[in-house]
Amino acid sequence: MSSDILETMIIASLAGGSILRKYFEEENFSISQKSVSYDLVTSADRESQEKIISILSGRFPQIPIVGEEGSEQIPHYREAFYVDPLDGTLNFVHKFPFFAVSLGYWKDNEPIAGVVYNPISKDLFYARKGNGAFLNGEKIGVSTTTSVEGSLLVIGFPYEEGELSRTVKDIKSTMRLTDLRVLGSTALELSYVARGIIDGYWEYALSPWDLAGGVLIAREAGAVVSAPDGGKFDLFKGDVLAATPGIYQELVKAING
Ligand code: IPD
Ligand code: CA
Ligand code: CA
């Protein structure tokens, strides 16, 4: 059953991704603002979501779907697909080719299948619980880094101003150790931890669709995924830290020290 689900999610992400690629190349999408000036939605997000939902619901009509576009309140279903039809819209709008379709299937508070697809680089990341993580058919794993000093750390900036203070505090406590980056797509940042490129990534106040796919991919590749304070990861709280085990403890200490 879960391999069937994963297969359908891959088909849906490729279909959503080809819509994004077309708009990215032709530059003929319309843009509107959501909360702040850099929180955007485009016609590409909407069309990609429609296509993904039609594929998922066509094959699994009984499984609820929580898609980013049009979701004001987030329902807590026992099982659901979480759809981010374009994770990294600001990058997309500025022609920075670091964005992805992100799909996750969760049941009983556990991630069961995840897919993250960058339609420009054609990197297709996917994972099924207990089965490892893959990039374009090849098994992937986290980095072997053992020290935070000089490691590749990525942090994300929250859209809500009230959430900024924690991030600023974290930057202050970690920036002496290495040169931090912000790349603008949670799904790809988690997948790059899985791939062993990024050693550690954390961010606060994300939404379930940002995280549902990438969290499983990172875990299945061997990353430790928790809240940034070292507590249990909660999809609905949206605070995440994913790191290679060699630096995880040291990074939690550095962030919270
Ligand atoms: C955003 C990206 C970004 C993160 C934001 C998210 P969107 O998703 O994942 O990296 O910092 O908080 O909302 O809006 O481009 O789908
Ligand atoms: Ca997102
Ligand atoms: Ca999005």
Side-chain angles (χ1 to χ4, degrees), residues 33-81:
Q33 186 178 322
K34 296 211 268 188
S35 58
V36 283
S37 59
Y38 45 90
D39 184 8
L40 306 172
V41 58
T42 72
S43 41
D45 299 60
R46 294 205 180 91
E47 212 179 289
S48 168
Q49 178 164 305
E50 250 172 59
K51 184 75 189 172
I52 291 164
I53 289 180
S54 78
I55 293 172
L56 296 177
S57 62
R59 178 70 184 81
F60 297 101
Q62 76 285 9
I63 302 179
I65 301 174
V66 181
E68 175 176 13
E69 305 315 332
S71 274
E72 298 304 317
Q73 293 216 316
I74 302 167
H76 289 215
Y77 295 113
R78 194 174 82 81
E79 75 174 317
F81 288 116

Side-chain angles (χ1 to χ4, degrees), residues 12-248:
S13 73
L14 295 175
S18 70
I19 291 170
L20 301 184
R21 192 184 318 116
K22 175 176 99 31
Y23 277 112
F24 187 76
E25 282 164 3
E26 295 172 3
E27 294 182 42
N28 57 352
F29 49 85
S30 60
I31 308 172
S32 41
Q33 186 178 322
K34 296 211 268 188
S35 58
V36 283
S37 59
Y38 45 90
D39 184 8
L40 306 172
V41 58
T42 72
S43 41
D45 299 60
R46 294 205 180 91
E47 212 179 289
S48 168
Q49 178 164 305
E50 250 172 59
K51 184 75 189 172
I52 291 164
I53 289 180
S54 78
I55 293 172
L56 296 177
S57 62
R59 178 70 184 81
F60 297 101
Q62 76 285 9
I63 302 179
I65 301 174
V66 181
E68 175 176 13
E69 305 315 332
S71 274
E72 298 304 317
Q73 293 216 316
I74 302 167
H76 289 215
Y77 295 113
R78 194 174 82 81
E79 75 174 317
F81 288 116
Y82 296 92
V83 175
D84 191 335
L86 199 187
D87 184 56
T89 300
L90 190 66
N91 286 348
F92 175 87
V93 164
H94 288 272
K95 291 236 111 192
F96 175 42
F98 195 81
F99 57 84
V101 173
S102 174
L103 305 180
Y105 168 64
W106 283 57
K107 194 172 178 186
D108 297 324
N109 284 317
E110 287 291 333
I112 310 294
V115 178
V116 172
Y117 178 53
N118 176 338
I120 307 305
S121 64
K122 304 209 170 139
D123 284 341
L124 176 71
F125 296 90
Y126 53 91
R128 197 153 56 86
K129 194 181 173 195
N131 224 45
F134 296 82
L135 165 58
N136 297 334
E138 302 277 324
K139 201 158 191 179
I140 51 172
V142 292
S143 76
T144 53
T145 305
T146 53
S147 165
V148 169
E149 223 169 305
S151 64
L152 192 66
L153 295 188
V154 176
I155 189 168
F157 294 148
Y159 288 166
E160 288 161 47
E161 219 183 310
E163 295 292 344
L164 206 62
S165 58
R166 287 193 283 188
T167 307
V168 171
K169 177 192 83 41
D170 292 0
I171 293 172
K172 280 190 184 147
S173 44
T174 51
M175 69 182 299
R176 288 166 285 102
L177 299 166
T178 195
D179 191 14
L180 299 173
R181 268 128 185 76
V182 178
L183 302 176
S185 165
T186 295
L188 281 178
E189 285 156 327
L190 289 166
S191 301
Y192 274 44
V193 172
R195 192 180 180 176
I197 292 176
I198 295 173
D199 299 307
Y201 158 72
W202 76 107
E203 181 162 353
Y204 298 99
L206 291 156
S207 300
W209 44 77
D210 299 314
L211 295 158
V215 158
L216 181 66
I217 293 167
R219 269 195 189 146
E220 287 293 326
V224 185
V225 179
S226 70
D229 63 4
K232 199 172 178 305
F233 171 75
D234 180 336
L235 185 66
F236 294 94
K237 271 201 185 135
D239 301 337
V240 69
L241 164 64
T244 185
I247 67 160
Y248 173 78

